[in-house]
Coordinates of all heavy atoms in Angstrom, one line a residue:
M1 N -5.6 -17.1 -8.6 CA -6.2 -15.8 -8.5 C -5.9 -15.0 -9.9 O -6.5 -14.1 -10.1 CB -5.7 -15.1 -7.4 CG -5.9 -15.8 -6.1 SD -6.8 -14.8 -5.1 CE -6.7 -15.6 -3.5
Q2 N -4.9 -15.5 -10.5 CA -4.5 -14.7 -11.8 C -5.6 -14.8 -12.9 O -5.6 -14.0 -13.8 CB -3.2 -15.2 -12.3 CG -2.1 -14.8 -11.4 CD -0.6 -15.1 -11.9 OE1 -0.6 -15.6 -12.9 NE2 0.3 -14.6 -11.3
G3 N -6.6 -15.8 -12.7 CA -7.5 -15.9 -13.7 C -8.7 -15.0 -13.4 O -9.7 -15.0 -14.2
A4 N -8.8 -14.3 -12.4 CA -10.0 -13.5 -12.1 C -10.1 -12.4 -13.0 O -9.1 -11.8 -13.4 CB -9.8 -13.0 -10.6
D5 N -11.3 -11.9 -13.1 CA -11.4 -10.7 -14.0 C -10.8 -9.5 -13.5 O -10.1 -8.7 -14.1 CB -12.9 -10.4 -14.2 CG -13.6 -11.4 -15.2 OD1 -12.9 -12.1 -15.9 OD2 -14.8 -11.6 -15.0
V6 N -11.1 -9.3 -12.1 CA -10.4 -8.2 -11.4 C -10.1 -8.7 -10.0 O -11.0 -9.3 -9.4 CB -11.3 -7.0 -11.2 CG1 -10.7 -5.9 -10.3 CG2 -11.7 -6.4 -12.5
F7 N -8.9 -8.6 -9.6 CA -8.4 -9.1 -8.3 C -7.9 -7.9 -7.4 O -7.0 -7.3 -7.7 CB -7.3 -10.1 -8.5 CG -6.7 -10.6 -7.2 CD1 -7.4 -10.7 -6.1 CD2 -5.4 -11.1 -7.3 CE1 -6.8 -11.3 -4.9 CE2 -4.8 -11.7 -6.1 CZ -5.6 -11.7 -4.9
T8 N -8.7 -7.6 -6.4 CA -8.4 -6.4 -5.5 C -7.9 -6.9 -4.3 O -8.5 -7.8 -3.7 CB -9.6 -5.5 -5.4 OG1 -10.2 -5.1 -6.7 CG2 -9.4 -4.4 -4.6
V9 N -6.9 -6.3 -3.7 CA -6.3 -6.7 -2.4 C -6.5 -5.6 -1.4 O -6.1 -4.3 -1.8 CB -4.8 -7.0 -2.6 CG1 -4.1 -7.3 -1.2 CG2 -4.6 -8.2 -3.5
N10 N -7.0 -5.8 -0.2 CA -7.0 -4.9 0.8 C -5.7 -5.0 1.6 O -5.6 -5.9 2.4 CB -8.2 -5.0 1.8 CG -8.2 -4.0 2.8 OD1 -7.8 -2.9 2.7 ND2 -8.9 -4.4 3.9
N11 N -4.8 -4.0 1.5 CA -3.5 -4.0 2.2 C -3.7 -3.6 3.5 O -3.8 -2.4 3.8 CB -2.6 -3.0 1.4 CG -1.4 -3.7 0.9 OD1 -1.6 -4.7 0.2 ND2 -0.2 -3.2 1.0
E12 N -3.9 -4.5 4.5 CA -4.0 -4.2 5.8 C -2.6 -3.9 6.7 O -2.4 -4.4 7.8 CB -4.8 -5.3 6.6 CG -6.3 -5.3 6.3 CD -7.0 -4.3 7.1 OE1 -6.6 -3.8 8.2 OE2 -8.1 -3.8 6.6
F13 N -1.8 -3.3 6.0 CA -0.4 -2.9 6.5 C 0.2 -1.8 5.7 O -0.3 -1.6 4.6 CB 0.5 -4.2 6.7 CG 0.6 -4.9 5.5 CD1 1.4 -4.6 4.4 CD2 -0.3 -6.0 5.0 CE1 1.5 -5.2 3.2 CE2 -0.3 -6.7 3.9 CZ 0.6 -6.3 3.0
C14 N 1.3 -1.4 6.1 CA 2.1 -0.4 5.3 C 3.3 -1.1 4.9 O 3.8 -2.2 5.4 CB 2.5 0.8 6.0 SG 3.5 0.5 7.4
Y15 N 3.9 -0.8 3.7 CA 5.2 -1.2 3.2 C 6.3 -0.2 3.8 O 6.4 0.9 3.2 CB 5.3 -1.3 1.8 CG 4.4 -2.4 1.2 CD1 3.2 -2.2 0.5 CD2 4.8 -3.8 1.2 CE1 2.4 -3.2 0.0 CE2 4.1 -4.8 0.7 CZ 2.9 -4.5 0.1 OH 2.2 -5.6 -0.4
S16 N 7.1 -0.6 4.7 CA 8.0 0.4 5.3 C 8.9 -0.3 6.1 O 8.6 -1.3 6.9 CB 7.2 1.5 6.0 OG 8.2 2.4 6.5
L17 N 10.1 0.2 6.2 CA 11.2 -0.2 7.3 C 11.4 0.9 8.3 O 12.1 0.8 9.3 CB 12.5 -0.5 6.6 CG 12.4 -1.6 5.6 CD1 13.8 -1.8 5.0 CD2 12.0 -3.0 6.3
G18 N 10.7 2.1 8.0 CA 10.8 3.3 8.9 C 9.6 3.5 9.7 O 8.7 2.8 9.8
G19 N 9.6 4.7 10.3 CA 8.5 5.1 11.0 C 8.6 4.5 12.4 O 9.3 3.6 12.7
S20 N 7.6 5.0 13.3 CA 7.5 4.3 14.6 C 6.1 3.9 14.8 O 5.1 4.6 14.2 CB 7.8 5.5 15.7 OG 9.1 5.8 15.6
P21 N 5.8 2.8 15.5 CA 4.5 2.4 15.7 C 3.7 3.4 16.4 O 4.3 4.0 17.4 CB 4.6 1.1 16.5 CG 6.0 0.8 16.7 CD 6.8 2.0 16.0
L22 N 2.4 3.6 16.1 CA 1.6 4.4 16.9 C 1.5 4.0 18.3 O 1.2 2.9 18.5 CB 0.2 4.5 16.2 CG 0.2 5.1 14.8 CD1 -1.3 5.2 14.2 CD2 0.7 6.6 14.8
P23 N 1.6 4.9 19.2 CA 1.8 4.6 20.6 C 0.6 4.0 21.2 O 0.7 3.1 22.1 CB 2.2 5.9 21.4 CG 1.7 6.9 20.3 CD 1.7 6.4 19.0
D24 N -0.6 4.2 20.9 CA -1.8 3.7 21.5 C -2.5 2.6 20.8 O -3.6 2.2 21.2 CB -2.9 4.8 21.8 CG -2.3 5.9 22.8 OD1 -1.5 5.4 23.7 OD2 -2.6 7.1 22.6
K25 N -1.8 2.0 19.8 CA -2.4 0.9 19.1 C -1.9 -0.5 19.6 O -0.6 -0.6 19.8 CB -2.1 0.9 17.6 CG -3.0 2.0 16.9 CD -2.9 1.8 15.3 CE -3.8 0.7 15.0 NZ -4.1 0.6 13.6
T26 N -2.6 -1.3 19.8 CA -2.3 -2.7 20.3 C -1.5 -3.4 19.2 O -0.6 -4.1 19.5 CB -3.4 -3.5 20.8 OG1 -4.1 -2.7 21.9 CG2 -3.0 -4.9 21.5
Y27 N -2.1 -3.4 18.1 CA -1.5 -4.2 16.9 C -1.1 -3.2 15.8 O -1.9 -2.4 15.3 CB -2.5 -5.1 16.4 CG -2.9 -6.2 17.4 CD1 -4.1 -6.0 18.0 CD2 -2.1 -7.2 17.8 CE1 -4.5 -6.9 18.9 CE2 -2.5 -8.1 18.8 CZ -3.7 -8.0 19.4 OH -4.1 -8.8 20.3
T28 N 0.1 -3.2 15.5 CA 0.7 -2.4 14.3 C 1.3 -3.4 13.3 O 2.0 -4.2 13.6 CB 1.7 -1.3 14.8 OG1 2.7 -1.9 15.5 CG2 1.0 -0.3 15.7
L29 N 0.9 -3.1 12.0 CA 1.4 -4.1 11.0 C 2.2 -3.4 9.9 O 1.7 -2.3 9.4 CB 0.1 -4.7 10.4 CG -0.9 -5.4 11.4 CD1 -2.2 -5.8 10.7 CD2 -0.2 -6.5 12.1
R30 N 3.2 -4.0 9.5 CA 3.9 -3.5 8.3 C 4.7 -4.7 7.6 O 4.9 -5.7 8.2 CB 4.9 -2.4 8.7 CG 6.1 -2.9 9.5 CD 7.0 -1.6 9.8 NE 8.0 -2.0 10.8 CZ 8.8 -1.0 11.2 NH1 8.9 0.1 10.6 NH2 9.7 -1.4 12.2
A31 N 5.0 -4.5 6.4 CA 5.8 -5.5 5.6 C 7.0 -4.8 5.0 O 7.1 -3.6 4.7 CB 4.9 -6.1 4.6
R32 N 8.0 -5.6 4.7 CA 9.1 -5.1 4.0 C 8.7 -4.6 2.6 O 7.9 -5.3 1.9 CB 10.2 -6.3 3.8 CG 10.8 -6.7 5.1 CD 11.9 -7.7 4.8 NE 11.8 -8.5 3.7 CZ 11.3 -9.8 3.6 NH1 10.8 -10.2 4.7 NH2 11.3 -10.3 2.4
P33 N 9.3 -3.5 2.1 CA 8.9 -3.1 0.9 C 9.1 -4.1 -0.3 O 8.3 -4.0 -1.3 CB 9.8 -1.8 0.7 CG 9.9 -1.2 2.1 CD 10.1 -2.6 2.9
D34 N 10.1 -4.8 -0.2 CA 10.4 -5.8 -1.3 C 9.3 -6.8 -1.6 O 9.1 -7.4 -2.6 CB 11.8 -6.5 -1.2 CG 11.9 -7.3 0.2 OD1 11.8 -6.8 1.2 OD2 12.0 -8.6 0.0
T35 N 8.5 -7.0 -0.6 CA 7.4 -8.0 -0.7 C 6.2 -7.4 -1.4 O 5.4 -8.3 -1.9 CB 6.9 -8.4 0.8 OG1 6.4 -7.3 1.4 CG2 8.0 -9.1 1.5
A36 N 6.2 -6.2 -1.9 CA 5.2 -5.7 -2.9 C 5.2 -6.4 -4.1 O 4.2 -6.5 -4.7 CB 5.3 -4.2 -2.9
E37 N 6.3 -6.9 -4.5 CA 6.3 -7.6 -5.7 C 5.5 -8.9 -5.8 O 5.0 -9.4 -6.9 CB 7.7 -8.0 -6.1 CG 8.5 -6.8 -6.6 CD 8.0 -6.2 -7.9 OE1 7.5 -6.8 -8.8 OE2 8.2 -4.9 -8.0
W38 N 5.1 -9.4 -4.6 CA 4.3 -10.6 -4.5 C 2.9 -10.3 -5.1 O 2.2 -11.2 -5.5 CB 4.1 -11.0 -3.1 CG 5.5 -11.6 -2.5 CD1 6.7 -11.8 -3.1 CD2 5.7 -11.8 -1.1 NE1 7.7 -12.2 -2.2 CE2 7.2 -12.2 -1.1 CE3 5.0 -11.8 0.1 CZ2 7.7 -12.7 0.3 CZ3 5.6 -12.2 1.2 CH2 6.9 -12.6 1.3
L39 N 2.5 -9.0 -5.0 CA 1.2 -8.7 -5.6 C 1.1 -9.0 -7.0 O 0.1 -9.5 -7.5 CB 0.9 -7.2 -5.3 CG 0.7 -6.8 -3.8 CD1 0.7 -5.2 -3.7 CD2 -0.5 -7.3 -3.2
H40 N 2.2 -8.7 -7.7 CA 2.2 -9.1 -9.1 C 2.2 -10.6 -9.3 O 1.4 -11.0 -10.2 CB 3.5 -8.6 -9.8 CG 3.6 -7.2 -10.1 ND1 2.6 -6.6 -11.0 CD2 4.3 -6.2 -9.6 CE1 2.9 -5.3 -11.0 NE2 4.0 -5.0 -10.3
E41 N 2.8 -11.4 -8.4 CA 2.9 -12.8 -8.6 C 1.5 -13.4 -8.2 O 1.0 -14.3 -9.0 CB 3.9 -13.4 -7.6 CG 5.3 -13.0 -7.9 CD 6.3 -13.5 -6.8 OE1 6.0 -14.5 -6.1 OE2 7.4 -13.0 -6.8
M42 N 0.7 -12.7 -7.5 CA -0.6 -13.1 -7.1 C -1.6 -12.8 -8.1 O -2.7 -13.3 -8.2 CB -1.1 -12.5 -5.8 CG -0.3 -13.1 -4.6 SD -0.8 -12.4 -2.9 CE -1.6 -10.9 -3.3
G43 N -1.3 -11.8 -9.1 CA -2.1 -11.3 -10.0 C -3.0 -10.2 -9.7 O -4.1 -9.9 -10.3
A44 N -2.6 -9.5 -8.6 CA -3.5 -8.3 -8.1 C -3.5 -7.2 -9.1 O -2.5 -6.9 -9.8 CB -2.8 -7.9 -6.8
D45 N -4.7 -6.7 -9.3 CA -5.0 -5.6 -10.3 C -5.1 -4.3 -9.6 O -4.7 -3.2 -10.2 CB -6.3 -5.7 -11.0 CG -6.3 -7.1 -11.9 OD1 -5.4 -7.1 -12.7 OD2 -7.1 -7.9 -11.6
L46 N -5.5 -4.3 -8.3 CA -5.7 -3.0 -7.6 C -5.4 -3.3 -6.1 O -5.8 -4.4 -5.6 CB -7.0 -2.5 -7.8 CG -7.5 -1.3 -7.0 CD1 -6.7 -0.1 -7.6 CD2 -9.0 -1.0 -7.2
V47 N -4.9 -2.3 -5.2 CA -4.6 -2.3 -4.0 C -5.5 -1.2 -3.3 O -5.4 -0.1 -3.7 CB -3.1 -2.3 -3.5 CG1 -2.9 -2.2 -2.0 CG2 -2.4 -3.5 -4.1
T48 N -6.2 -1.6 -2.2 CA -7.0 -0.7 -1.5 C -6.2 -0.4 -0.2 O -5.6 -1.3 0.4 CB -8.4 -1.1 -1.1 OG1 -8.3 -2.3 -0.3 CG2 -9.2 -1.4 -2.3
L49 N -6.2 0.8 0.2 CA -5.4 1.4 1.3 C -6.2 2.0 2.4 O -5.7 2.3 3.5 CB -4.2 2.4 0.9 CG -3.2 1.8 0.0 CD1 -2.2 2.9 -0.5 CD2 -2.5 0.6 0.5
A50 N -7.5 2.2 2.1 CA -8.5 2.8 3.1 C -8.8 1.8 4.2 O -9.8 1.1 4.2 CB -9.6 3.4 2.4
N51 N -7.9 1.6 5.2 CA -8.2 0.7 6.3 C -7.5 1.3 7.6 O -6.9 2.2 7.6 CB -7.7 -0.7 5.9 CG -6.2 -0.7 5.7 OD1 -5.4 -0.4 6.5 ND2 -5.8 -1.1 4.3
N52 N -7.7 0.5 8.6 CA -7.2 1.0 9.9 C -5.7 0.6 10.2 O -5.2 0.9 11.4 CB -8.0 0.4 11.0 CG -8.0 -1.2 11.1 OD1 -8.0 -1.8 10.0 ND2 -8.0 -1.7 12.2
H53 N -5.0 0.2 9.3 CA -3.6 -0.1 9.5 C -2.6 0.6 8.6 O -1.3 0.6 8.8 CB -3.3 -1.6 9.4 CG -3.9 -2.4 10.5 ND1 -3.4 -2.4 11.8 CD2 -4.9 -3.3 10.6 CE1 -4.0 -3.2 12.6 NE2 -5.1 -3.7 11.9
V54 N -3.0 1.2 7.6 CA -2.1 1.9 6.7 C -1.3 3.0 7.3 O -0.2 3.3 6.9 CB -2.8 2.4 5.5 CG1 -3.6 3.7 5.7 CG2 -1.9 2.5 4.2
F55 N -1.8 3.5 8.4 CA -1.0 4.6 9.2 C -0.4 4.1 10.4 O 0.0 4.9 11.3 CB -2.0 5.8 9.4 CG -1.4 7.1 9.4 CD1 -0.9 7.8 8.3 CD2 -1.2 7.8 10.6 CE1 -0.3 9.0 8.3 CE2 -0.6 9.0 10.7 CZ -0.2 9.5 9.6
D56 N -0.3 2.7 10.6 CA 0.3 2.2 11.8 C 1.7 2.8 12.2 O 2.0 2.8 13.3 CB 0.4 0.6 11.8 CG -0.9 -0.1 12.0 OD1 -1.9 0.7 12.3 OD2 -1.0 -1.3 11.9
Y57 N 2.4 3.2 11.2 CA 3.8 3.6 11.4 C 3.9 5.0 10.9 O 4.9 5.5 10.5 CB 4.8 2.7 10.6 CG 5.1 1.5 11.3 CD1 4.1 0.4 11.3 CD2 6.1 1.3 12.2 CE1 4.3 -0.8 12.1 CE2 6.2 0.2 13.0 CZ 5.3 -0.8 12.9 OH 5.5 -1.9 13.7
G58 N 2.9 5.8 11.1 CA 2.7 7.2 10.9 C 2.9 7.6 9.3 O 2.7 6.9 8.5
E59 N 3.2 8.9 9.2 CA 3.3 9.4 7.9 C 4.5 8.7 7.2 O 4.3 8.5 5.9 CB 3.6 11.0 7.9 CG 3.6 11.7 6.6 CD 3.7 13.1 6.7 OE1 3.6 13.8 7.9 OE2 3.9 13.7 5.6
T60 N 5.5 8.5 7.7 CA 6.7 7.7 7.1 C 6.2 6.4 6.6 O 6.5 6.2 5.4 CB 7.8 7.5 8.1 OG1 8.4 8.9 8.6 CG2 9.0 6.8 7.5
G61 N 5.5 5.7 7.3 CA 4.9 4.4 6.8 C 4.0 4.6 5.6 O 4.2 3.8 4.7
L62 N 3.2 5.6 5.7 CA 2.2 5.8 4.6 C 2.9 6.2 3.3 O 2.7 5.6 2.3 CB 1.1 6.8 4.9 CG 0.3 7.3 3.9 CD1 -0.6 6.1 3.4 CD2 -0.7 8.4 4.3
M63 N 3.8 7.2 3.5 CA 4.6 7.8 2.2 C 5.5 6.6 1.7 O 5.6 6.5 0.4 CB 5.4 8.9 2.7 CG 4.6 10.2 3.0 SD 3.6 10.7 1.7 CE 2.0 10.6 2.4
D64 N 6.1 5.7 2.6 CA 6.8 4.6 2.0 C 5.9 3.6 1.2 O 6.4 3.0 0.2 CB 7.5 3.8 3.1 CG 8.7 4.6 3.8 OD1 9.1 5.6 3.3 OD2 9.1 4.1 4.9
T65 N 4.7 3.4 1.7 CA 3.8 2.6 1.1 C 3.5 3.0 -0.2 O 3.5 2.3 -1.3 CB 2.6 2.3 2.0 OG1 2.9 1.8 3.2 CG2 1.5 1.5 1.3
L66 N 3.1 4.4 -0.4 CA 2.8 4.9 -1.7 C 3.9 4.8 -2.6 O 3.7 4.4 -3.8 CB 2.4 6.4 -1.5 CG 1.2 6.7 -0.5 CD1 1.0 8.2 -0.4 CD2 0.0 5.8 -0.9
S67 N 5.1 5.2 -2.3 CA 6.2 5.1 -3.2 C 6.6 3.7 -3.5 O 6.9 3.4 -4.7 CB 7.4 5.8 -2.7 OG 7.9 5.3 -1.5
T68 N 6.5 2.7 -2.6 CA 6.7 1.3 -2.9 C 5.7 0.8 -3.9 O 6.1 0.2 -4.9 CB 6.5 0.4 -1.6 OG1 7.5 0.9 -0.7 CG2 6.7 -1.0 -2.0
L69 N 4.5 1.1 -3.8 CA 3.4 0.6 -4.7 C 3.6 1.3 -6.1 O 3.6 0.7 -7.1 CB 2.1 0.8 -4.3 CG 1.7 0.0 -3.1 CD1 0.3 0.4 -2.5 CD2 1.7 -1.5 -3.4
Q70 N 4.0 2.7 -6.2 CA 4.3 3.3 -7.4 C 5.5 2.7 -8.0 O 5.5 2.4 -9.3 CB 4.5 4.8 -7.1 CG 3.2 5.5 -6.8 CD 3.4 6.9 -6.4 OE1 4.5 7.4 -6.5 NE2 2.4 7.5 -5.8
D71 N 6.5 2.5 -7.3 CA 7.8 1.9 -7.9 C 7.5 0.6 -8.5 O 8.2 0.1 -9.5 CB 8.9 1.8 -6.8 CG 9.4 3.2 -6.5 OD1 9.2 4.2 -7.2 OD2 10.2 3.3 -5.4
A72 N 6.6 -0.2 -7.9 CA 6.2 -1.6 -8.3 C 5.2 -1.5 -9.4 O 4.8 -2.6 -9.9 CB 5.8 -2.5 -7.1
D73 N 4.7 -0.4 -9.7 CA 3.7 -0.2 -10.8 C 2.4 -0.8 -10.4 O 1.8 -1.6 -11.2 CB 4.2 -0.6 -12.2 CG 3.3 0.0 -13.3 OD1 2.7 1.2 -13.1 OD2 3.3 -0.5 -14.3
I74 N 2.0 -0.7 -9.2 CA 0.8 -1.4 -8.6 C -0.3 -0.3 -8.4 O 0.0 0.5 -7.5 CB 1.1 -2.2 -7.4 CG1 2.1 -3.4 -7.8 CG2 -0.2 -2.8 -6.9 CD1 2.6 -4.2 -6.6
P75 N -1.4 -0.2 -9.1 CA -2.4 0.7 -8.7 C -3.0 0.6 -7.4 O -3.1 -0.5 -6.9 CB -3.4 0.4 -9.9 CG -2.8 -0.4 -10.9 CD -1.8 -1.2 -10.2
Y76 N -3.3 1.8 -6.8 CA -3.9 1.8 -5.5 C -5.0 2.9 -5.4 O -5.0 3.8 -6.2 CB -2.8 1.9 -4.4 CG -2.0 3.2 -4.4 CD1 -2.7 4.5 -3.9 CD2 -0.8 3.3 -4.9 CE1 -2.0 5.6 -3.8 CE2 -0.1 4.5 -4.9 CZ -0.6 5.6 -4.3 OH 0.1 6.8 -4.4
I77 N -5.7 2.7 -4.4 CA -6.9 3.7 -4.0 C -7.1 3.7 -2.6 O -6.9 2.7 -1.9 CB -8.3 3.2 -4.8 CG1 -9.2 4.3 -4.9 CG2 -8.7 1.9 -4.4 CD1 -10.3 4.2 -5.8
G78 N -7.6 4.9 -2.2 CA -8.0 5.0 -0.7 C -7.0 5.7 0.2 O -7.4 6.0 1.3
A79 N -5.8 6.1 -0.3 CA -4.8 6.9 0.4 C -4.0 7.6 -0.5 O -3.8 7.1 -1.6 CB -4.0 6.0 1.4
G80 N -3.4 8.7 -0.1 CA -2.5 9.5 -1.0 C -1.8 10.6 -0.2 O -2.1 10.9 1.0
K81 N -1.0 11.3 -0.9 CA -0.3 12.5 -0.3 C -1.2 13.5 0.1 O -0.9 14.4 1.0 CB 0.8 13.0 -1.3 CG 1.9 12.1 -1.6 CD 2.8 12.8 -2.5 CE 3.4 11.7 -3.4 NZ 4.2 12.2 -4.6
N82 N -2.3 13.6 -0.6 CA -3.4 14.6 -0.4 C -4.6 14.1 -0.9 O -4.8 13.1 -1.6 CB -3.0 16.1 -0.8 CG -2.7 16.1 -2.4 OD1 -3.5 15.5 -3.2 ND2 -1.5 16.6 -2.8
M83 N -5.8 14.9 -0.9 CA -7.1 14.4 -1.4 C -7.1 14.3 -2.9 O -7.9 13.5 -3.4 CB -8.2 15.4 -1.0 CG -8.4 15.4 0.6 SD -8.9 13.8 1.2 CE -10.7 13.8 0.7
D84 N -6.3 15.0 -3.6 CA -6.3 14.8 -5.1 C -5.5 13.6 -5.5 O -5.5 13.2 -6.7 CB -5.5 16.0 -5.7 CG -6.3 17.2 -5.5 OD1 -7.6 17.2 -5.4 OD2 -5.6 18.4 -5.3
C85 N -4.8 12.9 -4.6 CA -4.0 11.7 -4.9 C -4.4 10.4 -4.3 O -3.6 9.6 -4.0 CB -2.6 12.1 -4.5 SG -1.8 13.4 -5.3
L86 N -5.8 10.3 -4.2 CA -6.3 9.0 -3.6 C -6.4 7.9 -4.5 O -6.7 6.7 -4.1 CB -7.7 9.3 -3.0 CG -7.8 10.3 -1.8 CD1 -9.2 10.5 -1.4 CD2 -6.8 10.0 -0.7
L87 N -6.0 8.1 -5.7 CA -6.0 7.0 -6.7 C -4.7 7.2 -7.5 O -4.2 8.2 -7.9 CB -7.1 7.2 -7.7 CG -7.1 6.3 -8.9 CD1 -7.3 4.8 -8.6 CD2 -8.2 6.8 -9.9
Y88 N -4.0 5.9 -7.6 CA -2.7 6.0 -8.4 C -2.9 4.8 -9.4 O -3.2 3.7 -9.1 CB -1.5 5.7 -7.5 CG -0.3 5.4 -8.4 CD1 0.4 6.3 -8.9 CD2 0.1 4.1 -8.7 CE1 1.5 6.1 -9.7 CE2 1.2 3.8 -9.5 CZ 1.9 4.9 -10.1 OH 2.9 4.6 -10.9
T89 N -2.7 5.2 -10.7 CA -2.4 4.2 -11.8 C -1.1 4.7 -12.4 O -0.7 5.8 -12.3 CB -3.7 4.3 -12.8 OG1 -3.6 5.6 -13.4 CG2 -5.0 4.0 -12.0
S90 N -0.6 3.9 -13.3 CA 0.6 4.1 -14.0 C 0.3 5.3 -15.0 O 1.2 6.1 -15.2 CB 1.1 3.0 -14.8 OG 0.2 2.5 -15.7
D91 N -1.0 5.5 -15.5 CA -1.4 6.6 -16.2 C -1.2 8.0 -15.5 O -0.8 8.9 -16.0 CB -2.8 6.5 -16.8 CG -2.9 5.3 -17.7 OD1 -1.9 4.9 -18.4 OD2 -4.1 4.8 -17.8
A92 N -1.5 7.9 -14.3 CA -1.5 9.1 -13.4 C 0.0 9.5 -13.1 O 0.2 10.8 -13.1 CB -2.2 8.9 -12.1
A93 N 0.8 8.7 -13.3 CA 2.3 9.0 -13.1 C 2.8 9.8 -14.3 O 3.7 10.6 -14.2 CB 3.1 7.8 -12.9
D94 N 2.1 9.7 -15.4 CA 2.6 10.4 -16.6 C 2.2 11.8 -16.6 O 2.5 12.6 -17.5 CB 2.1 9.7 -17.9 CG 2.7 8.3 -18.0 OD1 3.9 8.0 -17.4 OD2 2.0 7.4 -18.6
E95 N 1.2 12.2 -15.8 CA 0.6 13.5 -15.8 C 1.4 14.5 -15.1 O 2.1 14.3 -14.3 CB -0.8 13.4 -15.1 CG -1.8 12.7 -16.0 CD -3.2 12.6 -15.2 OE1 -3.3 13.2 -14.2 OE2 -4.1 11.9 -15.9

């Protein structure tokens, strides 16, 4: 996959050890934050977060996901702290 011109991953889970599963969801998905580094190993260029699982562990899970991806310097789109932050790139961190 590292040879692709652009490799986008749809993250169907949050990166978090915190939060609580949403009470009325049958399936809630999350991954350990340290596994975000695997995205680099796979050659991912961009992660999309606009899906039905990014909020499975509530606001805590979402905020943990955003900070995990930022700390790993992985660009994302589709979710953010507010409407102005739906796209993150390392360039945006410098602003």
Side-chain angles (χ1 to χ4, degrees):
M1 304 242 192
Q2 292 185 353
D5 290 338
V6 176
F7 177 27
T8 303
V9 175
N10 179 28
N11 242 47
E12 283 281 339
F13 51 84
C14 62
Y15 288 106
S16 182
L17 298 176
S20 298
L22 294 181
D24 293 328
K25 282 196 84 169
T26 303
Y27 302 104
T28 54
L29 307 175
R30 69 177 165 182
R32 292 185 333 265
D34 63 295
T35 62
E37 287 299 324
W38 295 350
L39 295 167
H40 285 296
E41 293 173 24
M42 295 183 335
D45 297 301
L46 177 69
V47 171
T48 62
L49 299 175
N51 60 62
N52 61 320
H53 289 290
V54 73
F55 209 74
D56 279 359
Y57 284 79
E59 185 176 351
T60 299
L62 174 62
M63 293 297 119
D64 288 350
T65 299
L66 302 179
S67 62
T68 295
L69 292 172
Q70 289 172 11
D71 291 348
D73 198 28
I74 298 171
Y76 63 79
I77 192 167
K81 294 181 217 173
N82 56 51
M83 293 300 284
D84 295 328
C85 298
L86 295 180
L87 168 67
Y88 169 80
T89 65
S90 58
D91 295 336
D94 296 333
E95 295 177 0

